[in-house]
Amino acid sequence: MAYKGKRINPQKFERGQIKILLAILPLVIFMALPIIFIVNHAFKPMEELFAFPPTFFVNNPTLDNFVKLGKFSDTASIPITRYIFNSILVTGLTVGLSLLFTTMTAFALSKLKFKGRNLMLQINQIAIMFVGTAVLIPRFLVICFFGVNNSLWAHILPLLAVPVALFLVKQFVDQVPDSLIEAAYIDGATDFQVYLKVIIPMIKPAIATAAIMVFQQVWGNMETSNYFVDDDGIKTLTFYMNTLVNANNTVAGQGMAAAASLIMFLPNVILFAFLQDKVMNTMANSGIK
């Protein structure tokens, strides 16, 4: 698209983009500083961890913090590999099931006509205002009612519903032309076939963004391990890392805390790196009707 002889979104670098880059660069640097600090902090030797004034960058990087973390975890009654397995299993199942329910619900609320649809939309919008702590007791009562406490389902069920993700995906489904859906129905497609063959391919950017939202909520969650599970063998890596750091809240334990923070942070960065194009497409199209 061109405007007065200039491309709005040129494919190659142009001199006119310099002023935009100069305006954005300080913000990019500011946003990147916490990530750079976490990475550098994990590799600092003990004398740099407690240096005054504090140093931002590591001068003599070392792997001692990770070695100490590994040795300490080896002395635990339950190996760290068990917690890693629990976290991967819980996160994978929760993200998969949550995306399934979110996309199916978004399709139904956006394109299907049924009694109570507007009420359900209003309930979801109200749910966005509540933080996890506010619904802790209702979640606990539901877990006890179904009798799944002290099981992996105690990690999964409370985190399946993500109102923000449903709202985002539903807005994206609203943009799917009704003519495509009507054509599919004329060809004999069922509601599920329309959902699978028409809706899903057209909302992949929104699904990727919702996946990141759900992943961040599940991967860093300690609520389920703290309140819904008593068996240490089915608790998650996040709970183990935090209890490990709190149990060793000494001078020597700060190095392990720095290493644990980096380990817990890396999966979020890796996931976002793989899905960033989809996320950018979601943000670019979220306001287009």
Side-chain angles (χ1 to χ4, degrees):
M1 183 180 293
Y3 180 71
K4 293 184 179 180
K6 296 183 180 180
R7 292 181 59 85
I8 293 179
N9 189 21
Q11 299 296 323
K12 297 181 180 180
F13 177 77
E14 295 183 1
R15 286 185 299 176
Q17 295 176 335
I18 295 179
K19 58 181 180 293
I20 300 176
L21 294 176
L22 292 177
I24 296 177
L25 187 59
L27 180 62
V28 173
I29 295 175
F30 179 77
M31 298 295 290
L33 288 178
I35 300 176
I36 298 173
F37 176 79
I38 291 174
V39 175
N40 280 268
H41 198 63
F43 293 96
K44 287 181 180 179
M46 193 61 61
E47 58 272 15
E48 291 187 35
L49 285 172
F50 293 92
F52 186 84
T55 58
F56 191 86
F57 296 100
V58 57
N59 296 318
N60 300 300
T62 179
L63 294 175
D64 286 347
N65 296 330
F66 296 92
V67 173
K68 292 177 181 178
L69 179 62
K71 289 181 178 179
F72 183 85
S73 63
D74 289 339
T75 62
S77 58
I78 299 175
I80 191 174
T81 53
R82 178 64 184 181
Y83 294 104
I84 295 175
F85 173 79
N86 291 342
S87 286
I88 294 175
L89 181 62
V90 168
T91 303
L93 287 174
T94 306
V95 171
L97 291 174
S98 180
L99 291 180
L100 175 64
F101 295 146
T102 297
T103 52
M104 293 181 72
T105 305
F107 167 59
L109 293 177
S110 176
K111 299 301 182 181
L112 302 182
K113 308 297 182 182
F114 58 92
K115 188 176 181 180
R117 186 182 67 164
N118 292 334
L119 176 61
M120 292 181 181
L121 284 173
Q122 293 174 4
I123 292 174
N124 185 75
Q125 292 173 354
I126 294 174
I128 294 176
M129 298 186 296
F130 290 90
V131 296
T133 306
V135 295
L136 178 60
I137 294 178
R139 282 179 174 177
F140 178 77
L141 295 176
V142 171
I143 292 297
C144 292
F145 176 80
F146 284 106
V148 295
N149 50 311
N150 281 327
S151 70
L152 290 177
W153 288 108
H155 294 291
I156 298 171
L157 288 181
L159 304 178
L160 285 180
V162 184
V164 176
L166 175 58
F167 178 80
L168 176 65
V169 176
K170 193 262 181 188
Q171 294 299 107
F172 232 78
V173 177
D174 287 343
Q175 300 175 29
V176 178
D178 292 337
S179 58
L180 290 178
I181 298 176
E182 292 172 359
Y185 282 133
I186 292 174
D187 290 338
T190 62
D191 288 338
F192 182 75
Q193 288 174 329
V194 171
Y195 159 77
L196 193 63
K197 300 295 181 64
V198 179
I199 300 298
I200 293 298
M202 299 192 69
I203 62 170
K204 287 182 179 179
I207 294 175
T209 305
I212 293 177
M213 291 181 179
V214 179
F215 179 87
Q216 291 178 335
Q217 176 176 292
V218 179
W219 182 256
N221 178 268
M222 281 202 310
E223 173 188 293
T224 55
S225 293
N226 276 328
Y227 302 111
F228 306 151
V229 175
D230 295 327
D231 185 358
D232 289 339
I234 56 177
K235 293 187 177 182
T236 59
L237 181 64
T238 305
F239 173 84
Y240 173 73
M241 287 296 188
N242 280 272
T243 54
L244 182 150
V245 171
N246 293 333
N248 294 272
N249 193 18
T250 60
V251 173
Q254 296 309 303
M256 291 190 295
S261 298
L262 179 61
I263 292 173
M264 296 305 303
F265 176 73
L266 279 178
N268 294 281
V269 177
I270 295 172
L271 181 65
F272 183 81
F274 278 105
L275 300 179
Q276 61 174 332
D277 292 339
K278 300 293 185 181
V279 175
M280 294 301 104
N281 289 336
T282 303
M283 298 301 106
N285 291 279
S286 60
I288 300 176
K289 298 296 289 182

